[in-house]
Amino acid sequence: MTKIALITGATAGIGQAIACRLAENGYNLIITGRREARLLELKNDLENKFQIKVLALPFDVRKYGEVVASLEHLPDEWDHIDVLVNNAGLAVGLNPIHTGVVDDWERMIDTNIKGLLYVTRTISPGMVSRKRGHIINIASIAGKDVYPNGNVYCATKHAVDALSKAMRIDLLPYNIKVTQICPGAVETEFSIVRFKGDEAKADQVYKGFTPLDANNIADAVLYVVSQPPHVDVQDMLIMPTAQATGSLFHKE
Ligand code: NDP
Ligand code: 8X3
């Protein structure tokens, strides 16, 4: 039977690259994100290129009602999800804690922690009842390390690290794999979002070194989903060669 993967945040960056890589490898896809036009464009592209099926579901992961309404009662042909990629996420702002913007904090906490929980709470019961499934959480080096002014973003990704471990323990009796993939700097729309649309500032982040490309993370996802049933890659940290820690880069 053709496998189904659900990818949150497939309208850009890492999620979009994962969608393309899995489509290329024969998966049917459920793609989600808030920007519906981008989802529909991706659906058309992937269906035409790879002769697979794509279900595009626009919703905001921060809204539990929208998550449930979109995902709880999927049509029969879509309801046996094999792979859930919890990718939707963002950083907003880069301020020290004492000048942090509370609304930025709420957006990061609501998206990166609560959104991931809402989607997992909706999809995991089906995996439990089928005793089959693979949850892949896109965490970050920011979930293993803390860097100046990264405070709340780093805290949300540390939460993803804890939740990945917790999921692995709770889902252990049900044959469900849980993988966490932790990238260092990947050039996507991430920094444009972090700097609230200031593209010049975002460009500076990636100057002087070669950052990761979203396809490098998609390759890692393909690797982990291609392992045999008895192998779970639990945790992968993938950094640009020019990045040693969350904040230490070698820039030319
Ligand atoms: P992008 O900004 O390029 O993509 C983010 C994706 O998340 C978009 O598809 C966006 O869709 C979606 N998203 C954001 N907020 C919501 C929301 N409220 N509801 C639904 N979807 C949402 O960034 P990346 O691809 O770089 O980021 C993907 C993940 O990778 C994030 O979790 C990020 O923290 C993580 N990461 C990124 C790194 C990097 O350096 N780029 C490094 C390490 C981890 P839309 O706006 O259409 O809703
Ligand atoms: C995104 C990468 O280094 O900005 O998680 O935290 S970083």
Side-chain angles (χ1 to χ4, degrees):
M1 195 192 263
T2 303
K3 288 198 170 173
I4 298 175
L6 162 57
I7 302 155
T8 67
T11 56
I14 294 171
Q16 189 176 81
I18 295 169
C20 295
R21 187 65 82 254
L22 294 183
E24 200 181 355
N25 282 275
Y27 279 76
N28 287 335
L29 298 179
I30 303 174
I31 53 173
T32 82
R34 290 165 300 180
R35 286 169 287 182
E36 187 171 12
R38 285 197 186 196
L39 285 179
L40 296 177
E41 195 182 325
L42 184 61
K43 171 182 159 69
N44 286 339
D45 275 3
L46 297 180
E47 285 184 337
N48 290 334
K49 255 196 221 157
F50 303 116
Q51 285 76 53
I52 52 134
K53 290 185 185 162
V54 179
L55 180 64
L57 298 176
F59 63 85
D60 187 330
V61 293
R62 294 172 297 179
K63 299 186 176 148
Y64 185 54
E66 285 189 22
V67 173
V68 170
S70 306
L71 296 178
E72 199 164 58
H73 299 293
L74 289 167
D76 285 353
E77 65 168 321
W78 288 104
D79 76 352
H80 60 284
I81 292 165
D82 297 285
V83 177
L84 162 61
V85 185
N86 279 315
N87 164 76
L90 78 182
V92 197
L94 193 64
N95 292 2
I97 201 83
H98 58 284
T99 63
V101 177
V102 171
D103 183 58
D104 294 350
W105 294 356
E106 313 276 20
R107 285 177 62 194
M108 291 187 277
I109 292 166
D110 288 352
T111 310
N112 301 356
I113 306 178
K114 290 165 74 178
L116 177 145
L117 283 171
Y118 295 160
V119 174
T120 305
R121 178 65 184 85
T122 310
I123 298 303
S124 58
M127 292 180 167
V128 165
S129 68
R130 289 188 296 280
K131 290 214 161 139
R132 199 182 72 238
H134 194 163
I135 299 173
I136 300 173
N137 295 326
I138 305 300
S140 174
I141 177 63
K144 295 184 178 291
D145 198 3
V146 176
Y147 52 82
N149 306 328
N151 43 62
V152 175
Y153 178 69
C154 294
T156 65
K157 291 297 180 178
H158 276 69
V160 175
D161 185 59
L163 288 170
S164 297
K165 290 175 185 147
M167 287 180 197
R168 223 171 272 129
I169 293 168
D170 295 348
L171 300 174
L172 183 64
Y174 307 105
N175 189 40
I176 295 170
K177 298 185 186 191
V178 180
T179 299
Q180 166 172 269
I181 297 181
C182 303
V186 189
E187 190 165 7
T188 61
E189 295 176 10
F190 178 85
S191 291
I192 300 173
V193 173
R194 170 169 256 171
F195 297 122
K196 303 178 182 176
D198 186 337
E199 295 195 20
K201 209 166 168 185
D203 279 349
Q204 281 308 313
V205 173
Y206 308 107
K207 282 269 150 60
F209 75 108
T210 307
L212 297 172
D213 183 271
N215 290 309
N216 303 137
I217 307 307
D219 289 341
V221 170
L222 181 64
Y223 173 77
V224 304
V225 299
S226 304
Q227 297 307 301
H230 68 289
V231 177
D232 176 29
V233 179
Q234 292 198 346
D235 202 348
M236 285 177 103
L237 175 62
I238 307 173
M239 304 286 277
T241 306
Q243 183 180 5
T245 69
S247 54
L248 185 62
F249 292 80
H250 179 70
K251 296 194 176 188
E252 305 279 358

